[in-house]
Structure formats: structure tokens, C-alpha cells
Amino acid sequence: MIRGKPDEDDYWNNSKFKAFTFDDEDDDFTRLKESKRAVNSIRSLVEEEDEEDDVEKVSWSGEPVGSISWSVKETESSIRSTGEVRDQSFPKIHTAPSLPKNSSGYSLSSLFKGKAKTGSFQSFSESFGDPSIRNYAPELRKPKSEYKDYVSDWTPEETVKRMQQGKVYSLEKFRSLQDKLLLLDEAVNAHDGNVITAVLIYLKKSLSKEILFRELITREIALRHYIHYLKEIGEQKLLVELFKSMDRTEDMALMQYRDHLNVRDENKRRDFLKNCLSFPFSPDDATHVQDHYTLLERQIIIEANDKQVESSGQADIFKKYPRKASILNMPIITTLYYSCFYHYGESDGTFSSPANIRKTFRISDKQFLLTCLGARAKLKAWFDVDALFTTKNWLGYTKKRSPIGFHRIVDILQKNNAPVQVLQDYVNLVEDVEQKISLAQKYKCHDVIINTYRDLKDRQQLIVYRGKVERSSSEYRKIEEILSNSQLRWKN
Amino acid sequence: MAHSVRRDAPELPDFSLLKRLARDQLIYLLEQLPGRKDLFIEADLMSPLDRIANVTTLKQHDVDKLYKVEHKPIVSTSDQLCFLIRPRIKTVKWICDVVNADKAFGRFRRYKIIFSPQKFYACENLLEEQGIFGDVTTDEWSFYLLPLDDDIISLELPEFFRDYFLEGDQRWVRTAGSALHLLHSVYGPFSKVYGIGRCSKMAYESWREQVEEGEQRARQAEIGNVFLIDRDVDLVTPLCSQVVYEGLVDDIFRIKCGCVEFCPDVTSSDKSIKVMLNSQDKVFNEIRNEHFSQVFGFLSQKARNLQTAYDKRSGMDIKQMKTFVSEELKGLKQEHRLLSLHIGASESMMKKKTKQDFQELLKTEHSLLEGFEIRECISYIEEHINRQVSMVESMRLLCLLSLTENAFSLIYSSMSYFLSQSYGIEHLLTFSNLKQLGLLVEQQPGETLTVMESRVGKLVNDKTAGKLTDAFSSLAKKSNFRALGRRLNLVPKSDEEYDLRVPRDMAYIFSGAYIPLSCKLIEQVLERDGWTGLEEVTRMLNGHEFAVTAGSNGSDARVKTDSQRIILVMFLGGCTFSEISALRFLGREKGLKFIVVTTAITNSARLLESMLDNHA
């Protein structure tokens, strides 16, 4: 750890920079540390403490046996065990991303001279990455003779280090823009988000936002910390400005859109959404937001109307199935379900009709069918269910068609407690024979099974199935009839 | 059921020490505010606190009343208020309001905030801005690590995932480093550290610095090796449905801080009960790592044994009966209670899963992992969404699809449309988060790309070029899952029969369909003692791998001590119970012991819920 570089020693004795030592031994807080060390056996626990706040703790030392500290010490002794001291140091690994690490040829002294004369900060910051120079910080912590009450000469690296350790620090001396940025880059380099944010808070206070924004554009990591910080403290306006200045208009739009969640009153929320329409969303999001506005607008109208109808007791449907909740702020599909439930059969022109909702929100055939099916099945309106699938061809024959496999339809109907008579119609429509039989067995559609086996001319299966049904049932008789039918040519 | 444990597997270190340390420090901190005081505790600190101390402990140190932080005006009449909180802006803001309200009333009290596990400058700055800095004293309770079980230690920081991976905030990096440092000081010194991921690298670096700053204490190492892994190295695994008992219990009932609340449905009584789930529960300990399909058989066997043990009573004379009652009966009763509990839980889970067509869901998941019948998967997911089945499930499936199938970007637009129609348009905010994280990938229209490219191009000339690769990596984030799967044999051939009773590899935790990428990496790196030979794999994972050895001063004797076979695996961003089960399996196979340290226990629902942005 201790690397005696003549260069460095020279520097520290001669430099106009006051030779400050970071020696904790001389610190006012040393005694405090000693007593704390006794309390916390794990050093890290101690190091994290804020020294300023701990003045009280100094008095806390001559504790009686049997108190907590006694037990703490006991803990400590159990931790400490013997063994040989080995060099346990681990190598540093390059932790990307970080400042460019050029192997700079500067010696430390020439570097500082350079700073004093020309203010060549770029090279200064670069050289921090140089491992040979990086190590001088521990050097400074070596006991030094005098303590000077002068804290403002900490380099960015030292400052960041002290902040990480929760020690006293001062940011006031970082006044020039270069110094501030150097400090920020050093904080980013230390990977400690807490310190990065702390530095950003200081920059926020001490730089105009235009300058800060400009500098953050090229500092992605710092920028993300800044955005997160602003989000957390709720500085919405500043965030919007930040996004604007960076041309991140979509983020800006989303950010503002997000605020609608804070608007409780539905009419105000609708107006808020209307206002959002002009924001620079991505094309996809713009469609979403337009839909959002339209949807809420419709819902407000439907809600007002239905509430009135329901309370006046005019419509049977509301009496039979009172509304459990308001339709406001529900998703599109829920709104469609609601409309299929309470407003089925209304003309396309009304806002609340399923057809209108379907058209307005470009609902796909599948989605429409599934939702409508669910709603009508819930009401046990089997006639409506049938109608959903029935199509007429040009000869006037009707046929059942579905954009979704009929096995799914059966599933949905069954979940809505459809009777076997209804179910079996749809099981029959399943094309895959095996699937058809397994569904029929699952839902006890005997006719379907029997007919299928008959059509397959599978005598064996039919005999097996006969064993599964009640002897006195009509199914049994039907199987008997088929089996005794001499006209059928069985395959087995 | 009981796997043959390799006899030479080393003993695990005793982690109860960590609890004692935390408790002692808390007591010390409470004594810093002498006299009676009311204590306000952040809601999600209550369970961790329960694990290390109880109300009596607090009362003994002058805590009068206990309150949960609810962000509402308070009713306390005490002259001293102590707040035990996470360093969150929202909570600190609330405290500011409390203090300022007191001030307005002319009421004088003493206030102390204890931040756990550390304070943030942003919080202190808020105190300053609100004019109460100085009125309030602050302290830190360095409660970094909560041992949840013999081999699980949690930082209990679920927000780590969102803060780091979504917001890009590195505030917890040093916390992770400090946690490692604590483990290193008490159970180290570690001799080897492997890792992968940007955050792992930073946490390593932070830990290394803290070691250098501190004094070296010589002691016998109990833990030799460490593996650090970022959660985003493998996002597929936590998104899969869990089918190992402990994972399934977590998915369905949510295990909180090692404790689960079983509903009346399970307990077959009229009240829910809270049960600790850990190795102390003998029944649970035997089934926790088993595939769910094996659990029923085991439980019924166990029930039969129990019956036999009870039956011994008949034909006993008085004396024998006396010994039976005094020696065996209590144990049997205990076992009986546990057994009926887990049987109840299994039944209830069975019922729930049958209801939601679990089989079909699993089939879809496995097809996605295999890259098989993708079209069917997509229509399954589409219908799932259209029917408004659980939103989190829908999102989970979509994310799995996106992570495993590059072509997903082509259907992103229509899928997000379906989602917003079914679950609410405000979820476009959630999509934005999922995209940011790379969980969903949207097709980039040519125009946007060129704008980006030009900006990237401009920045490449800048000094900070190094930072860009990460910042924009999500842009180029292509799913390499298929290639990784082939390279690491993550997906066993589906035509082979997989005997779940005698698992042959870690794939058993997913019914033999998939070996978790995270665990496979750990296995490979330990086997190779580094990353050599895995270059292609790490390239596909965006790099940031490392392997370092301590003590370069030549005295490396390479003693194959027990500590060398104890491996601490730290998941940055959370890990699932399934992964822990997989590592336990690996440990048994290789004669190793794994200790899992995680920022929090996670699962698909927790992971996705942390991405939701649909509430104010």
C-alpha cells in the first residue's frame, strides 16, 4: 500500500497546495472511532457512520458488563479467530464504463504543474485512470506531521472517496465548470450512484440548467441518475425541459401522459388526455393515446346514461343483473364486454353498441368473437351464441364458422356453464376426431361419442363405451340399437 | 427421494452471526435516542426486523409504541419519534411533513431517522431543503444481510432490480459491495471471485476498495469462492413458471421473507396461518427441491409411515406407552401437523393450476424455449390476451417470446395493441419500461435508427465513447438465446424421456425442458476455473466477465480445503427458488455447497410487477 515515490514526497513538501493529511489518527473523531470500533466488530459497519452525527457516541464508552455492548464484544471475539496473515488483496479489474485510461506519461508533479499553469484539465482527468498514479491516495493517509485545518484542497478523487465513506467533505471549492465536471466524472468513475446523485444535486444548484443539460448529453450514466432523481423528487417540469433540450421528445410525451394517472375526476382526466393528443408521441403511442381519449369520452357518456336508466328501473337487464362497478377507466375489451352484456342489439349508430365499439377501436374478429361469446354465454343467451357463428352461403344454407378453433369455443362455453345440449353442438364441430372424442368424454356428450364411433365404424370402441354408461340410460339403448344394426359394416 | 449426498460435502458456515450483528447494532442505535420513544417502521422492513428481533427486544430499549409507515399524518403522543426506514425519497418527504406539521403546531419533539442499510445524500438533501436538517438526527443501520435459511441470504432490496436495470441508478452498487465486504470479513478471506455483468464488476470493485480501505484480519476462511452474476445476464429463467415445490409455493402463495401465509383453503380451517419455510421444517426440507409431480407420492408415503408409527401404540403395555408418549409422540404430532399442511398446500396448488390449464401453459413455455411451433405459441398468447386472462401472465409469455425469438419485433406492434386493449391503454408506459429493459424488443423503423446512429456516431468521437456501448446496447440487443442454448446445451432433446424421479441434470427444475442459463454458467465456470473456452458464450452475453484470484504474492498454496468447496453465489437483481434448487442439485452432484446471496428472492410476477407503471 505504501509506495514511497520521491516525486510525490517532493511535491507534497513544496507545492503551493497545502499539505493536508487524511490521517484519521489525528482526527478529532479518533476517540469516537475507537469506541465505535469496540461496538461494531465489523469495520465496514463503522466506516459507514456519519461522523458529524455521532458526537454523542463518544460519551458512550464505559459501559457496564451485561449491557448490549458487552454482548457485542462477545460477538466480536467470536468473529476474531487466529490464522496467518496473508496478502489477501485482490486485483483491480477494469470496470467499464469508465474514463478513458490512457497510460499518460506525466509524472505526478509535472501533472500538477501543468494544472497550475495551463489548466489542462483534460490530461489531468485522464491521468487519474493511470494505475501508477491512482495509488497515491492511500499514500496520503499515511501519518503526516501536521494537521492543517484546510479542507478545500481535496482532489475530485479524494472528495468522491470521502463521500463514499461518509466522511466530511466539501463541494464548494468546485466552482469552475471544469472542476465540476471533473468531480462528476470522478463520481461516475467510482460507480457509486449515491455519490453521483449527490454531485448532481450540487451541480443542479450551482449551474444553470442549460449548461447542466448540455454537459449531461454526453454523460449517459450521470444523465440517467439525474433523470431518476428528478422523477423521485417529482420535478416534472424540469424533466420535461431536460427531455426537450435533448430532443427526447417521445420520453417527454410519455412523461407528461403519465400524469393523467394523477387526475381523479373523469371529466378532468378526459380533458387532460385531449391535451395529450398534441404531444410528440411515436406513431404507435399516438394511436394508443387517441384511443384512450376516445374511450374515456365514450365511457363518460355511457356511464351517465346507464346510471340514469338503472336508477329509474326502466330496463330489465339492469334489474336482473345490477351493475357491479362503473365502466369508467376500464380497458377497451371490458367496455366491449359491457356493451355486449347490456347493449346487445343496439343500432350501430349508438356509442354504446358493440358494433360501434368494435369499429371505433379496430377490434379484430377474434377479439370480438371471444368477448361477445363470453358476454352472451354469461347471460345464457344461447340463441345469440349460435348466431355468432352462423353464416349463410349463397344458396341460403347455413353453416357454422369461427375464426378460432371450435375446441376453444367449447372450452369457453363450458366455463360459462353451458348445458350439454349446447355444448355438444359445438363439440360436434371440432374437426380433429381425436380432439372431438376427448372433449366429448370430458364434458359427457354421449351422443357425440356414440355417433363418432358409429361414423368411424369402430365397433370395439363402441362396445367399450357401452360399459361406461348406465344400463338403464337412453345412451345404452342407443348403442345397443347401433350395434344390432346389421346394415352397418364395421371395420372391426 | 432423498438424494445421495456426497459424503465429503463441506459444512455450511453459521450465518446466525449476521443476525446477531444486525440486532446488536440496532439496539445500539436505539440507545442513541435515550428515553421512551415511538418507533415508525417502513412496511417492508417489518418482516426482516421480525427475523432478527422481537417486540420485547424493542420494548426493552424504551420503544413505546410501534407504527407502520403509512405516509399519513401521525397520532403519536410521544416526545420522541424514531423512524426506521429505507432510504427512499417518498418516506423522507413524509417525515418532513410530520416534522413541519409539529413545528407549525409549536410542538417540540426529538426525531431520529435510522436508514437501513444506508443513507443516501438525496435523502439528507431533502431534509435540508425542507428545513429540518438538524432537527432530525440520522443514523445508519447497516443491516445488509438477512439469512433466510442455512444457504440463502437476502439483502431484501427488491427495488434493486428496477433501480439498476431500468432506471440505470447505481445507488445500490456500493451496498452490494458492502454486503460482500461484510461476508468477506466474517467468513472470508475469499480466494477467488468470478463474475459476469456490468453491475457485478462494479460491485466487485466497490468491495475490493472497501477491503483495501479496511484492515486485514487474519482468519481461517470459511467461504473460498465467490460468483457474482447480474440478473440481466439471464432474464429467461426467472420468467419461467416454477414447478419445483418451493418455487411453486412462491409463485402461488408468495413466500415473504422466508414465511408464507397459507389461506383457509390450505389449512382446511377457517383461518389462514403463517408458516416459516426453511430447513427446520423437516417435511418441507425433503420436498422443497423436488419437481411437483414427485411431491404427492412422497407425501403419501410419509403419511403411511406416520400411520405405522402411530399404530405402534396398540399392543403396548403401560410402560412402553409412557416412553412412547414422552419420547416419540411430540415429534410425531409435529410431523403430522407439517405433513397435513403441505398436503393441503399441494392440493390447493393442484386445484389452482388445473383451473388455469397449467399443462397447456407449460407446453407453450417449453415450445418457446425449444423454438418449436412458434406460430402456435403466438396464437396461444394472443388468445390469452384477448380473453383477458391474468395480465402479468400475458406479459410474461410475451417477454419470453421476445427473449427467445428475434422475430418478435415484427409482431411487437400488434401484440402491444392487443395488450393495451385488454388490460388498459395506460400500459403503454409499461411497454416503454419493458422495451428499455430489453424484455420486449420493438422493430426499429429505419428512420429512428439512423437518427440514433448519427448521434452515436457523433458521440464516438467524444472522449466518453466507452460509456456508450452500454447505454445503447439495448438498441442492438438481439436475443442470442437460441445460440446460447445450443452452445451450452440448455435445452435437452425433447424426444428423450426425462425421469423426474432421478434427475440427471439441473433441467429437472423445469420438467427436463430447460437448464437455467444462470446456473449452467456457474457450473461451467467452476468446472473450467474461469472463462476460458467460454469466449463465444460471453460475447453473446455482452461480455463483462471476470475471474480474479487473491494474493498474488506467491504464497498461494492452493490448499483444497473445505472452504474452497463452498461457493457463494451473489445474484444482483434477484434470484428464484428454482435457481436455488438447481444449485443445490449441482452442489450434491459435485460435492460442493452453494450459498446464495441475492438482492431479493424474485419470480416472474415480482419481476414484471416491478415494471408496471400504471398507477399514480
Side-chain angles (χ1 to χ4, degrees):
Chain A
M1 287 250 273
I2 296 163
R3 302 164 51 133
K5 270 198 177 174
D7 253 12
E8 291 169 18
D9 282 337
D10 277 347
Y11 163 70
W12 287 113
N13 293 331
N14 305 332
S15 149
K16 76 180 183 68
F17 290 78
K18 300 280 191 301
F20 170 72
T21 66
F22 298 82
D23 180 17
D24 290 337
E25 307 299 316
D26 290 17
D27 230 18
D28 260 354
F29 301 113
T30 308
R31 281 183 307 132
L32 165 69
K33 287 231 152 181
E34 284 304 328
S35 64
K36 276 205 288 187
R37 202 162 278 147
V39 176
N40 299 319
S41 46
I42 301 307
R43 198 183 149 84
S44 71
L45 301 185
V46 181
E47 288 297 290
E48 303 287 330
E49 308 265 351
D50 192 319
E51 289 155 78
E52 284 171 304
D53 292 342
D54 289 338
V55 184
E56 275 182 334
K57 292 178 190 170
V58 186
S59 63
W60 193 80
S61 46
E63 65 288 305
V65 177
S67 74
I68 315 127
S69 59
W70 176 79
S71 76
V72 176
K73 271 184 184 147
E74 197 189 32
T75 314
E76 180 187 21
S77 62
S78 78
I79 293 171
R80 207 163 263 167
S81 64
T82 49
E84 211 191 338
V85 185
R86 286 192 292 149
D87 179 10
Q88 289 300 336
S89 67
F90 270 83
K92 187 175 160 52
I93 46 168
H94 170 68
T95 318
S98 58
L99 291 176
K101 291 189 163 92
N102 305 341
S103 271
S104 114
Y106 294 103
S107 77
L108 190 56
S109 50
S110 71
L111 171 71
F112 274 78
K113 270 184 226 143
K115 178 188 176 188
K117 271 187 205 158
T118 64
S120 154
F121 290 97
Q122 199 50 57
S123 62
F124 182 61
S125 78
E126 277 174 13
S127 357
F128 272 112
D130 188 332
S132 67
I133 296 172
R134 272 183 80 90
N135 275 334
Y136 76 94
E139 162 84 1
L140 297 177
R141 248 180 267 123
K142 198 173 61 171
K144 287 271 176 180
S145 47
E146 57 211 305
Y147 175 86
K148 297 230 170 95
D149 188 18
Y150 192 63
V151 293
S152 57
D153 264 349
W154 288 320
T155 64
E157 193 183 11
E158 287 152 6
T159 304
V160 165
K161 186 127 257 175
R162 292 188 72 85
M163 290 173 83
Q164 281 193 300
Q165 294 168 342
K167 291 182 182 165
V168 182
Y169 67 94
S170 158
L171 299 181
E172 272 76 38
K173 82 137 197 165
F174 297 94
R175 299 193 68 173
S176 73
L177 179 61
Q178 285 94 328
D179 279 349
K180 288 178 202 288
L181 294 177
L182 219 49
L183 180 68
L184 181 61
D185 289 342
E186 192 51 56
V188 169
N189 217 17
H191 317 304
D192 188 334
N194 180 27
V195 176
I196 298 173
T197 306
V199 171
L200 284 167
I201 292 172
Y202 171 65
L203 298 195
K204 179 172 177 275
K205 285 174 184 159
S206 64
L207 280 176
S208 87
K209 58 189 178 216
E210 289 79 14
I211 304 294
L212 179 58
F213 292 174
R214 185 191 72 200
E215 296 302 333
L216 284 176
I217 288 181
T218 52
R219 290 172 172 78
E220 178 72 18
I221 291 177
L223 174 64
R224 293 185 74 179
H225 281 83
Y226 192 57
I227 292 171
H228 192 212
Y229 172 70
L230 293 183
K231 267 191 205 169
E232 284 197 317
I233 59 167
E235 288 220 30
Q236 179 87 350
K237 277 203 184 110
L238 195 56
L239 252 182
V240 170
E241 281 180 62
L242 175 68
F243 284 139
K244 207 177 211 162
S245 80
M246 296 194 165
D247 254 2
R248 288 171 62 166
T249 49
E250 287 177 21
D251 289 319
M252 180 181 85
L254 278 178
M255 181 82 226
Q256 287 170 291
Y257 166 76
R258 194 182 187 287
D259 243 11
H260 84 267
L261 296 164
N262 298 315
V263 185
R264 288 269 155 253
D265 177 80
E266 67 264 18
N267 288 308
K268 283 190 186 136
R269 187 182 266 210
R270 179 198 53 207
D271 297 342
F272 187 96
L273 288 169
K274 190 176 185 183
N275 193 36
C276 285
L277 296 177
S278 60
F279 296 163
F281 289 104
S282 69
D284 269 3
D285 287 350
T287 323
H288 283 308
V289 176
Q290 172 68 55
D291 281 350
H292 200 166
Y293 165 68
T294 317
L295 179 68
L296 186 56
E297 194 184 31
R298 298 270 172 106
Q299 285 172 339
I300 291 172
I301 297 168
I302 298 172
E303 177 68 22
N305 180 58
D306 288 4
K307 211 173 180 175
Q308 197 261 321
V309 173
E310 184 174 28
S311 59
S312 70
Q314 287 164 351
D316 283 348
I317 181 87
F318 291 110
K319 264 190 266 175
K320 223 168 148 192
Y321 303 96
R323 302 186 317 149
K324 289 196 187 99
S326 117
I327 192 62
L328 294 172
N329 298 315
M330 291 296 162
I332 293 174
I333 295 298
T334 312
T335 311
L336 177 65
Y337 184 92
Y338 177 94
S339 139
C340 289
F341 200 93
Y342 291 111
H343 297 277
Y344 205 65
E346 281 179 14
S347 73
D348 295 9
T350 54
F351 276 166
S352 51
S353 74
N356 194 305
I357 291 175
R358 176 188 195 168
K359 199 169 139 238
T360 311
F361 299 105
R362 306 169 303 286
I363 289 165
S364 75
D365 291 351
K366 265 195 221 177
Q367 270 176 307
F368 183 77
L369 183 88
L370 283 167
T371 312
C372 201
L373 178 65
R376 297 325 285 172
K378 186 97 193 162
L379 287 167
K380 313 225 174 296
W382 309 121
F383 182 78
D384 291 341
V385 169
D386 268 353
L388 278 174
F389 300 99
T390 311
T391 51
K392 268 199 184 120
N393 71 3
W394 60 279
L395 288 172
Y397 294 117
T398 59
K399 201 183 171 209
K400 283 211 171 96
R401 277 213 196 119
S402 162
I404 311 156
F406 277 107
H407 64 287
R408 309 298 304 169
I409 307 293
V410 172
D411 190 44
I412 295 168
L413 288 172
Q414 194 273 332
K415 284 210 165 92
N416 281 295
N417 302 316
V420 176
Q421 294 82 341
V422 175
L423 271 185
Q424 66 184 11
D425 283 352
Y426 290 89
V427 175
N428 246 331
L429 290 164
V430 175
E431 277 185 32
D432 185 87
V433 177
E434 262 178 54
Q435 202 169 29
K436 188 199 284 190
I437 290 186
S438 87
L439 276 174
Q441 284 178 336
K442 197 167 159 190
Y443 302 130
K444 309 231 171 345
C445 305
H446 302 296
D447 277 354
V448 177
I449 299 170
I450 296 165
N451 292 340
T452 311
Y453 285 143
R454 184 196 61 204
D455 295 346
L456 289 170
K457 311 205 188 314
D458 195 334
R459 203 165 64 97
Q460 294 304 324
Q461 287 289 355
L462 207 51
I463 292 170
V464 172
Y465 199 70
R466 187 180 52 183
K468 288 182 188 163
V469 296
E470 294 262 343
R471 210 162 236 287
S472 56
S473 64
S474 59
E475 291 83 35
Y476 191 89
R477 281 198 301 280
K478 187 172 175 182
I479 297 175
E480 289 282 85
E481 244 168 63
I482 296 171
L483 285 174
S484 57
N485 186 338
S486 54
Q487 306 228 302
L488 279 166
R489 298 179 60 178
W490 300 104
K491 73 171 184 187
N492 51 20
Chain B
M1 272 266 159
H3 296 275
S4 59
V5 177
R6 262 179 65 163
R7 237 176 306 140
D8 55 347
E11 287 291 310
L12 287 165
D14 174 20
F15 293 119
S16 60
L17 190 62
L18 295 172
K19 291 190 187 179
R20 259 167 74 197
L21 282 171
R23 185 177 50 235
D24 293 346
Q25 202 204 2
L26 177 64
I27 290 168
Y28 170 72
L29 290 172
L30 286 175
E31 290 194 343
Q32 297 309 297
L33 189 64
R36 293 175 79 73
K37 60 219 157 231
D38 281 358
L39 183 64
F40 290 78
I41 307 171
E42 186 110 57
D44 43 4
L45 266 172
M46 294 179 77
S47 295
L49 184 60
D50 260 339
R51 299 290 168 272
I52 61 153
N54 50 34
V55 181
T56 330
T57 328
L58 298 177
K59 297 267 175 191
Q60 276 166 355
H61 298 279
D62 280 338
V63 171
D64 195 9
K65 292 199 186 70
L66 285 168
Y67 298 95
K68 186 162 99 179
V69 169
E70 287 179 307
H71 304 278
K72 285 189 293 209
I74 60 162
V75 286
S76 165
T77 53
S78 178
D79 288 337
Q80 300 199 98
L81 304 182
C82 187
F83 302 91
L84 185 56
I85 61 166
R86 291 276 186 226
R88 291 182 190 135
I89 294 284
K90 193 182 171 212
T91 316
V92 176
K93 235 177 206 165
W94 167 74
I95 295 173
C96 291
D97 292 345
V98 168
V99 176
N100 278 326
D102 280 355
K103 275 190 179 178
F105 265 111
R107 158 150 218 177
F108 178 79
R109 299 199 232 223
R110 293 181 69 190
Y111 312 92
K112 180 178 202 69
I113 303 179
I114 301 173
F115 291 102
S116 176
Q118 66 178 108
K119 56 184 160 193
F120 288 143
Y121 287 109
C123 296
E124 289 187 303
N125 184 62
L126 189 62
L127 294 177
E128 192 180 335
E129 279 180 358
Q130 293 293 316
I132 62 166
F133 195 93
D135 298 325
V136 176
T137 55
T138 59
D139 246 319
E140 285 178 330
W141 180 29
S142 318
F143 181 26
Y144 293 111
L145 297 164
L146 173 68
L148 290 179
D149 207 340
D150 298 344
D151 59 350
I152 310 174
I153 303 174
S154 170
L155 276 75
E156 291 296 308
L157 289 174
E159 62 254 63
F160 186 104
F161 184 76
R162 186 179 165 120
D163 282 347
Y164 179 76
F165 293 104
L166 180 67
E167 309 286 1
D169 193 319
Q170 302 170 0
R171 55 166 62 144
W172 301 113
V173 169
R174 189 168 166 98
T175 317
S178 304
L180 264 180
H181 185 217
L182 176 59
L183 288 164
H184 175 80
S185 335
V186 183
Y187 304 101
F190 307 145
S191 40
K192 244 182 197 160
V193 182
Y194 312 97
I196 181 160
R198 203 166 76 83
C199 188
S200 292
K201 240 180 192 177
M202 294 192 290
Y204 165 82
E205 205 44 36
S206 164
W207 163 69
R208 195 191 56 79
E209 278 166 21
Q210 291 179 54
V211 171
E212 275 184 5
E213 286 158 16
E215 62 207 63
Q216 302 278 326
R217 199 182 288 116
R219 42 167 282 117
Q220 195 69 44
E222 288 181 80
I223 299 173
N225 299 319
V226 176
F227 194 108
L228 304 173
I229 182 166
D230 282 21
R231 185 67 273 175
D232 72 345
V233 167
D234 174 13
L235 286 169
V236 171
T237 304
L239 287 176
C240 293
S241 294
Q242 305 195 72
V243 285
V244 162
Y245 187 73
E246 190 168 11
L248 195 56
V249 171
D250 190 36
D251 272 2
I252 295 181
F253 301 107
R254 300 223 175 186
I255 301 174
K256 198 172 140 202
C257 221
C259 180
V260 72
E261 186 167 353
F262 282 133
C263 46
D265 188 26
V266 172
T267 57
S268 42
S269 64
D270 51 357
K271 58 181 197 298
S272 327
I273 49 171
K274 284 189 174 171
V275 188
M276 292 296 295
L277 292 179
N278 54 38
S279 54
Q280 302 299 310
D281 177 338
K282 291 286 180 296
V283 176
F284 175 69
N285 198 35
E286 287 192 72
I287 53 175
R288 67 195 309 188
N289 300 311
E290 296 298 328
H291 189 272
F292 188 60
S293 64
Q294 304 302 305
V295 170
F296 269 128
F298 175 84
L299 289 177
S300 65
Q301 178 60 45
K302 201 88 185 155
R304 273 198 296 278
N305 295 350
L306 193 65
Q307 188 62 53
T308 327
Y310 271 125
D311 287 348
K312 277 199 306 193
R313 279 174 311 170
S314 59
M316 279 183 185
D317 57 30
I318 292 287
K319 203 177 157 212
Q320 284 169 320
M321 191 64 113
K322 221 172 160 184
T323 21
F324 175 81
V325 170
S326 64
E327 284 168 15
E328 285 180 62
L329 195 60
K330 199 174 164 227
L332 289 177
K333 274 191 173 156
Q334 165 82 354
E335 197 178 332
H336 187 168
R337 197 183 63 84
L338 293 171
L339 205 52
S340 61
L341 210 55
H342 289 293
I343 289 173
S346 302
E347 272 173 354
S348 162
M349 292 197 288
M350 248 337 230
K351 250 187 260 162
K352 287 206 171 76
K353 287 300 179 186
T354 320
K355 213 168 163 189
Q356 66 162 88
D357 296 321
F358 196 45
Q359 213 54 44
E360 204 167 344
L361 188 77
L362 283 181
K363 206 184 110 201
T364 305
E365 267 177 47
H366 294 167
S367 301
L368 287 175
L369 294 166
E370 265 180 76
F372 184 65
E373 295 185 330
I374 294 302
R375 198 177 294 270
E376 282 77 1
C377 292
I378 294 173
S379 68
Y380 176 84
I381 299 171
E382 191 185 326
E383 200 191 310
H384 204 271
I385 297 170
N386 289 345
R387 286 171 72 175
Q388 294 184 298
V389 193
S390 142
M391 179 191 66
V392 169
E393 287 276 278
S394 295
M395 292 226 178
R396 181 173 76 81
L397 290 168
L398 267 194
C399 292
L400 266 181
L401 175 66
S402 178
L403 286 170
T404 52
E405 201 59 46
N406 278 322
F408 172 81
S409 61
L410 301 173
I411 57 164
Y412 168 84
S413 193
S414 54
M415 282 301 192
S416 68
Y417 193 64
F418 289 142
L419 264 172
S420 71
Q421 284 186 321
S422 281
Y423 306 112
I425 294 168
E426 62 278 12
H427 279 296
L428 66 97
L429 296 164
T430 309
F431 304 147
S432 156
N433 290 345
L434 293 173
K435 280 189 282 182
Q436 167 87 25
L437 198 71
L439 275 173
L440 291 181
V441 178
E442 185 182 17
Q443 198 187 12
Q444 296 292 324
E447 190 184 272
T448 323
L449 240 170
T450 38
V451 170
M452 270 304 188
E453 274 169 352
S454 70
R455 190 175 299 166
V456 173
K458 217 162 61 195
L459 290 168
V460 167
N461 299 325
D462 202 276
K463 294 278 177 202
T464 47
K467 298 175 189 176
L468 285 166
T469 40
D470 290 287
F472 293 100
S473 67
S474 68
L475 243 191
K477 215 173 212 167
K478 255 200 171 162
S479 164
N480 290 314
F481 184 77
R482 296 265 174 270
L484 279 167
R486 275 193 298 275
R487 191 89 207 153
L488 292 168
N489 277 324
L490 298 181
V491 182
K493 287 196 184 68
S494 56
D495 45 354
E496 285 170 40
E497 197 61 26
Y498 197 99
D499 186 359
L500 289 168
R501 210 164 329 157
V502 197
R504 59 164 182 265
D505 53 27
M506 293 185 280
Y508 92 93
I509 64 157
F510 292 123
S511 316
Y514 163 63
I515 299 177
L517 171 59
S518 52
C519 304
K520 186 75 180 179
L521 280 174
I522 294 165
E523 178 206 86
Q524 288 293 308
V525 168
L526 291 177
E527 217 162 73
R528 294 156 194 266
D529 190 14
W531 295 92
T532 344
L534 295 171
E535 290 79 6
E536 201 186 332
V537 170
T538 56
R539 190 180 47 75
M540 286 190 275
L541 291 171
N542 265 338
H544 295 302
E545 78 282 4
F546 59 93
V548 283
T549 313
S552 43
N553 59 350
S555 71
D556 188 11
R558 277 287 160 82
V559 200
K560 257 282 182 196
T561 54
D562 271 358
S563 70
Q564 292 304 307
R565 287 186 290 123
I566 295 193
I567 293 116
L568 190 148
V569 178
M570 187 175 197
F571 284 88
L572 294 156
C575 88
T576 63
F577 280 118
S578 292
E579 284 167 312
I580 297 174
S581 289
L583 288 175
R584 286 182 186 137
F585 175 87
L586 186 65
R588 282 192 301 268
E589 293 279 296
K590 310 261 175 194
L592 305 170
K593 275 274 165 70
F594 287 96
I595 296 153
V596 172
V597 179
T598 178
T599 50
I601 295 287
T602 192
N603 62 21
S604 55
R606 292 195 192 96
L607 199 147
L608 289 168
E609 279 161 11
S610 74
M611 292 295 119
L612 296 186
D613 241 341
N614 62 330
H615 42 80

